[in-house]
Amino acid sequence: MSVDAHREAASGGLWSRMSLGRKQVIWAWGFLAVPLLFYAVIRFWPTFQAFYLSATDWSLMRPAAFVGLENYKRLFADPLFWQVFRNTFMYLILGTPISLLISFVVAYYLDRVRFMHSFIRALYFLPFLTTAAAMAWVWRWFYQPVPIGVINDILSSFGIPQQPFLRSTSQALPAVLAPAVWAGLGFQIIIFLAGLRAIPVTYYEAARIDGLSEGAILRRITIPLLKPTLVFLVVFSSIGFLRIFDQVYNINTNDPGGPLNSTKPLVLMIYQTAFSSYEMGYAAAQTVVLFLILLVISLVQLRLMRDR
Amino acid sequence: MRFRHLLASVAISFATLAASGAKAVEIEYWQYVFDTRVKAMNQLIAKFQEANPDIKVKQTTFPYADYQTKVAAAILAGQGPDVVQLFYGWTDNFIAGKMIRPLRAEAFPAADIERDFFPIVSAMKRGNDYYGLPTAVRSLALFYNKKAFKDAGLDPNNPPKTLDELVAAAEKTTKRDGSGNIVSAGITLDMAGQDHHWWREVLVRQFDGAPYTNDDTKVAYNDEAGLKALTFYTDLQKKHKVGQVGFMDEGQAAFRAGLAAMTIDGTFRLGSFNTIKGFEWGVTELPANAEGVRSNYASYFANAITTKAEGEKLAAAEKFLAYVSSPEAMKIWLEVVGELPARRTAALTPENIGHPVYGPFLKGLEYAHTTQFKDEAAQRQAAMDMVNRVLIQGEEPKASLAKAAEDEQAIIDRAKR
């Protein structure tokens, strides 16, 4: 007992002898340790393990054997991989500019609307709150042929031939992309609105006094000052489109990524390789490739859009 | 509903715990969640425990989507079930992973199995060993909408018996709008559903071919028969225009909604179709070809004993497996789940054969085949893509067939390694 008391006094002594700054550092690290540990164990460790797995032929049922770069060789020789690679970039190349353009235009005009401003904003934000799976199912029915597909019903009532949409290799990808763009709009509009509000009003007043046209104000003041917002949204939505999955999977659950793989993104290929064919090693190799693509794209975008 | 099951099973396990005392051997049984299957198994467990007071069976269930992953992860970690339910097509994987053990010949003699069960049970045999036994099996049949038949001037009690009659009935029952769009299909075309089985094990054989050779390790349909079978199937949409892939999203949905006069589906769809209120439907055997040749595809979930079961648990697991594959268990399974008994004597009773719904499915079992899938999802995808290339991209059936054969052979070869 006396030993315990002594030890307590000693540790208390050590603590009380520390400077305030050092105590703050210890406290800070104490709190930081929890998320750091979490990230290390739950995120980083499995990430590194994926690199190792990608060099094995582990198949869940069978023990793993080291195969070197065999998985990567198979991947780069697989025509499906290249098609999926193209699809993934189609989602990015179509999705990011279209969604940013629409959300900027909406935000730009919504910013000037006073009448029911919050209500309209809430309406735009609503799809973002909806579960992607539920939304994909609703759109899946929109795209059906007559007699149940709403879009085709409208087309044929105007005498326009019905479109195959999800049953076509050329129309399916844009058809899957549309709800994904629509769902992300709300979030992007809110961020754009915040960016627009952050621009000091005095700049606009000065420009108007100098007689600048609205177009010139948009080009010279609004867009340059929105650059940080834009960088954030471009990176954010690019990553989102590069790892698109739930919309694609749910809009065509009978033939995920179909027809004929025309809508299959890389993430869906990874999922099917891992959890349908149980080729974990091969799936890990695909994951590593996706990781590298995401890394390179993010770095390039940050570099391009950095202030000069 | 599910909560009530939970309560029931908890009550049952408490009752047996009290009755059997501390000496009982406890074994675990795993299957995937499906309301009626869980209910049937609870009844079987209760009866089994009554007869074997020294054994306690604990049932654990998982959603189907992660069932296989969880079973594999648990057994490899030395946990998990003593008796496990598995799809016959997973057997190779489960054996390769050393997850299930061969049934001891003393407890389950092969000669008895082959005498008593339908021949499709051979899909559980590797070498001289059986690795599991089914309680129930499923086969395919042609469902038809009696109201649609009557409206089209066809006899609702005389469904098509041959492929030619099938096409003729489909042509009569198809309804189109002014621009020629189908608004009600004659027959559903849904390769993602059961049609890939119909094509592979039925149509290919009816056109004098064989889908595979060498124990289903060599794709053999890339020939004249396969081409005829594929052309027959794709012509339903291209030439006869009596169906459309993707119409109403899924074949079963179209039939349920009364917007398709015929669909090919399995016993497992009975539960869903039994709730149809809008029209009366009938079931008939899959149509024969002109020479009268019939075929069918049968599949099943089997129960197997895992490598985890040892000593007294192994003995208890064997007793339990014997009980759930007994005629009595099959009768309960048929009543509760609606799946057909796997033993001939339990299945082919005069009452079952004369049954308007079970009858056609049972007749199908006599000449049914089971495909030894290596990777069912991937092999199904190969068949779907084959049809899509013809119907969407306008590719020649011959070229598409050759590509499908090549793709599927690659899938099989990779799984064999």
Side-chain angles (χ1 to χ4, degrees):
Chain A
M1 176 135 169
S2 67
V3 179
D4 278 359
H6 181 71
R7 196 176 288 158
E8 215 164 73
S11 79
L14 187 65
W15 181 250
S16 57
R17 264 183 275 126
M18 271 184 215
S19 71
L20 191 62
R22 182 162 292 188
K23 279 182 190 169
Q24 278 176 337
V25 168
I26 289 180
W27 273 112
W29 278 106
F31 282 115
L32 278 176
V34 178
L36 279 181
L37 201 69
F38 177 83
Y39 265 88
V41 176
I42 305 289
R43 294 225 125 154
F44 297 138
W45 170 241
T47 308
F48 286 119
Q49 214 176 18
F51 280 92
Y52 163 71
L53 274 184
S54 73
T56 70
D57 65 353
W58 185 43
S59 72
L60 196 66
M61 311 282 175
R62 272 168 291 197
F66 188 78
V67 295
L69 293 177
E70 204 51 51
N71 285 326
Y72 293 95
K73 272 189 214 147
R74 177 179 158 198
L75 188 63
F76 294 130
D78 189 349
L80 177 62
F81 170 72
W82 292 108
Q83 175 162 19
V84 161
F85 191 81
R86 273 196 304 277
N87 293 342
T88 310
F89 275 88
M90 281 307 277
Y91 283 117
L92 172 73
I93 292 164
L94 290 175
T96 303
I98 292 177
S99 68
L100 285 182
L101 187 69
I102 299 177
S103 57
F104 176 74
V105 171
V106 171
Y108 184 70
Y109 287 103
L110 189 60
D111 191 39
R112 299 162 171 218
V113 172
R114 288 287 152 267
F115 176 69
M116 297 214 297
H117 176 88
S118 328
F119 179 70
I120 300 173
R121 201 175 52 192
L123 280 188
Y124 276 112
F125 198 65
L126 217 53
F128 187 70
L129 301 177
T130 316
T131 317
M135 204 161 53
W137 273 83
V138 172
W139 281 76
R140 171 182 182 167
W141 286 86
F142 282 172
Y143 285 133
Q144 291 302 309
V146 288
I148 53 163
V150 177
I151 302 175
N152 273 322
D153 275 348
I154 296 171
L155 287 183
S156 54
S157 70
F158 285 108
I160 303 167
Q162 66 169 335
Q163 297 298 313
F165 295 120
L166 298 174
R167 291 285 311 156
S168 143
T169 44
S170 53
Q171 293 179 6
L173 193 138
V176 171
L177 189 61
V181 167
W182 175 65
L185 278 189
F187 176 76
Q188 296 179 345
I189 289 172
I190 298 286
I191 301 289
F192 266 132
L193 275 176
L196 286 171
R197 291 284 161 93
I199 299 172
V201 191
T202 45
Y203 293 176
Y204 292 114
E205 283 166 354
R208 292 211 175 86
I209 291 167
D210 287 347
L212 240 62
S213 69
E214 285 299 312
I217 292 177
L218 179 66
R219 274 199 316 278
R220 297 282 164 79
I221 298 177
T222 313
I223 292 181
L225 286 172
L226 267 182
K227 202 162 178 185
T229 313
L230 213 57
V231 173
F232 169 75
L233 282 178
V234 167
V235 173
F236 201 82
S237 90
S238 302
I239 293 176
F241 282 115
L242 281 175
R243 30 169 241 197
I244 188 168
F245 174 82
D246 29 12
Q247 277 95 353
V248 187
Y249 187 81
N250 284 293
I251 211 162
N252 205 348
T253 43
N254 296 324
D255 182 5
L260 296 170
N261 301 313
S262 60
T263 61
K264 190 174 285 176
L266 193 47
V267 184
L268 183 51
M269 185 183 176
I270 294 171
Y271 174 81
Q272 288 177 329
T273 312
F275 298 107
S276 161
S277 297
Y278 298 105
E279 296 186 74
M280 297 295 176
Y282 189 37
Q286 295 166 11
T287 315
V288 169
V289 171
L290 177 67
F291 171 78
L292 293 178
I293 294 173
L294 285 175
L295 188 71
V296 168
I297 293 214
S298 304
L299 289 179
V300 167
Q301 282 177 343
L302 286 174
R303 166 65 53 102
L304 283 181
M305 308 208 57
R306 194 193 286 161
D307 279 324
R308 255 160 242 148
Chain B
M1 195 63 193
R2 199 167 282 167
F3 183 63
R4 215 185 294 163
H5 283 308
L6 192 73
L7 272 187
S9 48
V10 168
I12 289 168
S13 25
F14 267 113
T16 43
L17 193 68
S20 56
K23 239 177 57 185
V25 183
E26 188 186 275
I27 55 171
E28 267 201 63
Y29 175 76
W30 282 18
Q31 69 165 336
Y32 68 88
V33 184
F34 192 84
D35 230 21
T36 51
R37 302 176 82 90
V38 178
K39 203 154 85 184
M41 189 43 76
N42 280 334
Q43 288 185 23
L44 294 184
I45 290 174
K47 280 195 191 291
F48 174 73
Q49 291 181 152
E50 222 170 85
N52 299 278
D54 54 335
I55 302 176
K56 205 171 140 299
V57 182
K58 187 178 156 223
Q59 180 178 203
T60 307
T61 57
F62 296 106
Y64 185 73
D66 10 291
Y67 180 70
Q68 213 182 335
T69 325
K70 284 213 166 119
V71 171
I75 296 180
L76 294 179
Q79 306 280 315
D82 301 290
V83 180
V84 66
Q85 188 178 71
L86 73 155
F87 191 60
Y88 79 91
W90 303 343
T91 309
D92 281 331
N93 270 341
F94 275 50
I95 295 174
K98 299 194 173 55
M99 290 156 56
I100 53 175
R101 59 166 76 228
L103 303 181
R104 283 193 312 122
E106 301 83 63
F108 301 93
D112 289 5
I113 295 175
E114 276 148 30
R115 184 191 63 217
D116 296 340
F117 284 75
F118 282 106
I120 49 171
V121 77
S122 64
M124 297 306 294
K125 194 178 185 184
R126 299 292 180 277
N128 292 319
D129 295 324
Y130 277 89
Y131 277 83
L133 288 175
T135 302
V137 294
R138 320 131 138 215
S139 58
L140 303 179
L142 178 70
F143 289 83
Y144 64 100
N145 180 331
K146 290 192 176 176
K147 185 168 169 288
F149 267 52
K150 215 178 295 170
D151 293 348
L154 292 166
D155 179 2
N157 295 314
N158 189 18
K161 289 184 190 60
T162 64
L163 291 175
D164 291 340
E165 285 177 32
L166 178 84
V167 175
E171 273 170 347
K172 283 215 170 113
T173 46
T174 305
K175 291 185 200 135
R176 302 183 183 85
D177 66 9
S179 356
N181 302 322
I182 291 182
V183 291
S184 185
I187 183 165
T188 61
L189 297 182
D190 190 354
M191 219 49 184
Q194 300 303 311
D195 283 3
H196 71 108
H197 297 306
W198 183 42
W199 183 81
R200 200 185 280 116
E201 291 292 358
V202 183
L203 289 177
V204 169
R205 289 179 195 280
Q206 288 181 323
F207 286 99
D208 289 332
Y212 308 95
T213 55
N214 297 5
D215 289 332
D216 290 3
T217 56
K218 270 270 165 293
V219 174
Y221 54 68
N222 186 18
D223 59 6
E224 202 53 36
L227 183 61
K228 279 185 193 158
L230 177 61
T231 314
F232 173 84
Y233 187 82
T234 50
D235 272 356
L236 290 173
Q237 174 168 333
K238 275 173 69 173
K239 191 170 137 204
H240 307 294
K241 299 189 169 63
V242 293
Q244 187 185 334
V245 176
F247 177 72
M248 285 291 285
D249 200 27
E250 283 178 54
Q252 54 94 7
F255 187 79
R256 260 193 82 91
L259 294 179
M262 292 179 279
T263 188
I264 287 171
D265 220 320
T267 18
F268 37 83
R269 194 67 67 195
L270 290 173
S272 158
F273 285 174
N274 276 332
T275 59
I276 293 176
K277 297 260 186 324
F279 58 90
E280 206 189 326
W281 50 267
V283 184
T284 185
E285 278 178 272
L286 292 184
N289 69 3
E291 287 81 45
V293 175
R294 290 180 190 270
S295 181
N296 205 314
Y297 165 76
S299 64
Y300 50 87
F301 279 84
N303 292 307
I305 300 177
T306 67
T307 46
K308 187 199 142 204
E310 298 277 1
E312 56 177 1
K313 287 201 176 197
L314 177 59
E318 282 181 344
K319 268 191 185 168
F320 184 63
L321 179 62
Y323 177 70
V324 295
S325 354
S326 68
E328 181 190 326
M330 290 178 185
K331 191 158 180 287
I332 293 176
W333 201 266
L334 175 68
E335 280 158 14
V336 180
V337 187
E339 283 187 333
L340 311 168
R343 284 174 186 267
R344 289 166 189 277
T345 45
L348 301 173
T349 62
E351 184 199 349
N352 284 346
I353 292 177
H355 194 282
V357 174
Y358 297 141
F361 287 106
L362 281 172
K363 283 180 204 149
L365 275 183
E366 293 277 26
Y367 45 75
H369 296 268
T370 23
T371 318
Q372 296 269 17
F373 286 112
K374 299 292 172 198
D375 179 347
E376 199 210 0
Q379 287 176 265
R380 182 184 73 152
Q381 188 71 50
M384 279 159 66
D385 288 353
M386 170 181 74
V387 167
N388 278 341
R389 277 190 297 269
V390 177
L391 293 181
I392 297 180
Q393 295 189 314
E395 195 170 297
E396 281 302 312
K398 198 174 164 61
S400 186
L401 183 75
K403 173 97 171 54
E406 190 187 315
D407 287 351
E408 190 172 358
Q409 189 64 57
I411 294 165
I412 294 172
D413 290 344
R414 205 159 43 235
K416 261 197 315 196
R417 273 190 306 163

